[in-house]
Amino acid sequence: MISIRGLTKRFGETTVLDAIDLDIAAGERVVVIGPSGTGKSTLLRCLNFLDRPDAGTITLGDVSVDVTRASKKDALALRRATSFVFQNYALFANKTAKENIMEALVTVQGRPRAQAEQRALDVLAETGLANKADSYPAALSGGQQQRVGIGRAMAIGADLMMFDEPTSALDPEWVGEVLDLMRRVAERRQTMLIVTHEMQFAREIADRVVFMDGGCIVEAGPPGEVLDSPQDDRLRRFLRRVA
Amino acid sequence: MRALDLDYMLGLVPVILGYVPLTLFMAAAAMVCALVLASLMAVERVVKVPGLDAVVVLFISFFRGTPLLVQLFLFYYGLPQVFAFLTQINGVTAAIMGLTLHFAAYMAEAIRAAITGVDRSQWEAAQSIGMTQAQMMRRIVLPQATRIAAPTLVNYFIDMIKGTSLAFTLGVTEMMGAAQKEAAGSFLYFEAFLVVALIYWIMVEALSQGQKRLERHLNKAYAR
Ligand SMILES: Nc1ncnc2c1ncn2[C@@H]1O[C@H](COP(=O)(O)OP(=O)(O)OP(=O)(O)O)[C@@H](O)[C@H]1O
Ligand SMILES: [Mg+2]
């Protein structure tokens, strides 16, 4: 349902994504692992044009974009078909938890305020933050902020939800509640593309684990295969290091 | 040294106060126009529209790099010689235009700095949910930037109020002009200008108090 072909990204001289091919089925949960600086974040950011790719095609549902010819409209279409959870939460500081979730619904999707508000309150209830609806991000803990961040991405109802190391910036005490929420999202067969260093979580949530190194996909498969009987040397070294 | 003629001063106070509305009108009109112009220039400086950017940079550089009095004279006495239609412009309008352009240049820099002070990741979050650049600026970035810039902008408003006294040199009878006329009859120049100074001082003090309260209010924002 999501099809990526030859996705390439260069920063100056360095090729950060080297002709990536990747298909993701509807409802599939794909976890991306790999050493630092191998282009995991860049892959996610290219998929919704936070970084503009240099070559390749991205097909997402009925949106198909040749990135070399992508117009502003194409970029918006991709962004509206995806949602993004950031490592540092990136909540809107001038909006309450509820307003953070409503923003896309009202401004981008053009839904009536009352309907958007109801949806935001429902999502907040699912994230366990019903009592924080009117709090600003500055008054929330890291874990609570990230749960709002996930709620903001959930509410959009995007075909693909992307998570870039959603727990890496968190104090250890808040990691559990964020992973729990992600498990609940996964239970609904939401298509997810997740970058994480939480290997136990990857094993448990992933339908497929993708190992990236040097801007390429080196190995991919079910977590049992990739994590327990790795073929490539680089993957073996990486797994020893994170174990 | 002679004694101050306090009775004369007291009598002059209501006369000069009568011109306070004109002063405030010029300052407020220039402030509103300057805010709009400065915001547009600040956004342009951040998103950098090709072609336009050089013009904005030049504009800011010129209006920050030359004295306000020189700019006012250029507008009021100079430009009408070049552009005939400008002969219609009266001193008050010319003063408002001059103050607008001069202070817009300064305020654009203050607003630009405030815009870049809004955490970059919020810009990306706004883009990631599919907002257009304009929606992102209007709904996420500018509301926060305005709060960051507000205390600085009030400072410029205070400078602007004081700057309106230069309209006197364009033949406008404002507070200074009125004092000048009164003193020309009484020869009590010191008393007359002292009254003007005190009235300016009180206005600015009142604004500074308001500014302190505004800052306290802004510091509490977005924290509940
Ligand atoms: N805006 C940029 N300009 C120049 N180089 C960049 C930029 N963004 C990323 N890079 C480079 O691209 C490479 C891949 O970065 P990326 O952030 O995608 O890696 P990553 O796999 O997410 O790493 P990490 O695990 O540390 O998050 C790195 O070498 C990085 O230095
Ligand atoms: Mg990364």
Side-chain angles (χ1 to χ4, degrees), chain A residues 40-41 87 164-165 195:
Chain A
K40 305 183 298 294
S41 298
Q87 184 172 346
D164 190 6
E165 301 197 34
V195 176

Side-chain angles (χ1 to χ4, degrees), chain A residues 92 94 103 107, chain B residues 46-47 120 122-128 131-144:
Chain A
F92 305 130
N94 61 329
E103 190 59 36
T107 308
Chain B
V46 174
V47 301
R120 202 75 206 181
Q122 290 185 48
W123 299 52
E124 297 197 330
Q127 289 167 358
S128 81
M131 281 191 183
T132 61
Q133 283 250 13
Q135 289 170 334
M136 169 184 79
M137 281 292 168
R138 207 175 59 241
R139 301 195 48 92
I140 307 299
V141 178
L142 285 179
Q144 294 181 62

